Amino acid sequence: GVAAFAIQRHNVTNADYLEFIKSGGQPPAFWEKSGDDWYWRGMFDLIPLPMSWPVYVSQADATAYARWRGYRLPSEAEFQRAAYGTAGGAEYFYPWGNASPSPAHGVFDFASWDPEPAGSHPAGRSAWGVEDLIGNGWEWTRSVFAPFPGFRPIPSYPEYSAEFFDGEHFVMKGASPATARELIRPTFRNWFRSRYPYVYATFRCIRS
């Protein structure tokens, strides 16, 4: 089981993170400053920083922001609870239920090269009312990437994912705009080192 906790309904946005920057935090790799203005490094162009988009940061930056706010990142188990759990104890296959993923549920499956404003897909919210748990950016957790009990490498690809059980990679859940719909399932785990900055990964904070 997972102990009770409170989780942010929305991902931390660029506007939220800008407050952290102004207090001394490090700007994300996707941001660029010109004069007094911040810009987003999009796939094809620099654009004025979209304040309502989820911020894309490294796990180390996400951890620093959460600490600054007095919160913390969710564990993998807490993310699973927020995304797939229900008050009645049943588990859904997707945050919104068991209906197949569609564009109404979130920004994924190469629907866009960039995110959209947080909360743009209410049809995708979880049983708890949490938005964008699938799509609009992978979500960092505080959980170190490690095998589950009974893990066995698949014979056709033994290096995947055992070579990354080194204590230096952290679990990401959810999906980014460029994540294929075939990977949208509760069991899929992504991972990167904590200071790797060039990944479409956002986060939300929790408290218990």
Side-chain angles (χ1 to χ4, degrees):
V2 176
F5 61 92
I7 189 166
Q8 289 183 307
R9 177 179 174 184
H10 296 289
N11 291 123
V12 172
T13 63
N14 287 326
D16 297 329
Y17 204 83
L18 186 57
E19 297 177 31
F20 178 50
I21 302 303
K22 290 176 178 177
S23 78
Q26 292 296 310
F30 288 95
W31 291 21
E32 188 169 310
K33 195 171 189 183
S34 179
D36 292 331
D37 299 319
W38 286 100
Y39 291 83
W40 162 268
R41 283 197 192 112
M43 180 63 73
F44 305 107
D45 206 356
L46 273 181
I47 61 173
L49 186 67
M51 293 298 174
S52 60
W53 287 7
V55 67
Y56 285 174
V57 291
S58 70
Q59 199 264 2
D61 288 340
T63 300
Y65 173 93
R67 188 179 302 123
W68 174 74
R69 284 286 193 202
Y71 301 130
R72 60 179 174 84
L73 297 187
S75 67
E76 182 177 7
E78 287 165 335
F79 180 94
Q80 294 289 114
R81 177 71 172 152
Y84 305 109
T86 67
E91 288 201 351
Y92 289 153
F93 198 78
Y94 304 105
W96 54 86
N98 296 315
S100 295
S102 76
H105 294 126
V107 188
F108 48 74
D109 202 32
F110 308 98
S112 168
W113 289 113
D114 295 315
E116 295 180 8
S120 294
H121 292 77
R125 66 171 59 121
S126 77
W128 312 105
V130 184
E131 310 258 356
D132 300 317
L133 288 158
I134 299 291
N136 231 27
W138 292 101
E139 299 211 15
W140 286 113
T141 74
R142 60 191 177 94
S143 295
V144 173
F145 184 55
F148 289 133
F151 170 82
R152 292 192 306 277
I154 55 173
S156 60
Y157 199 166
E159 298 86 7
Y160 186 94
S161 48
E163 286 195 357
F164 300 93
F165 298 152
D166 56 9
E168 297 181 3
H169 293 74
F170 287 82
V171 174
M172 298 188 305
K173 297 291 295 184
S176 83
T179 301
R181 62 180 291 156
E182 290 78 17
L183 301 180
I184 298 172
R185 57 181 187 267
T187 54
F188 191 80
R189 312 165 87 200
N190 201 353
W191 62 89
F192 272 100
R193 285 191 168 92
S194 66
R195 297 194 178 277
Y196 184 74
Y198 302 110
V199 61
Y200 280 11
T202 184
F203 69 103
R204 66 187 80 223
C205 301
I206 76 167
R207 57 181 171 80
S208 47

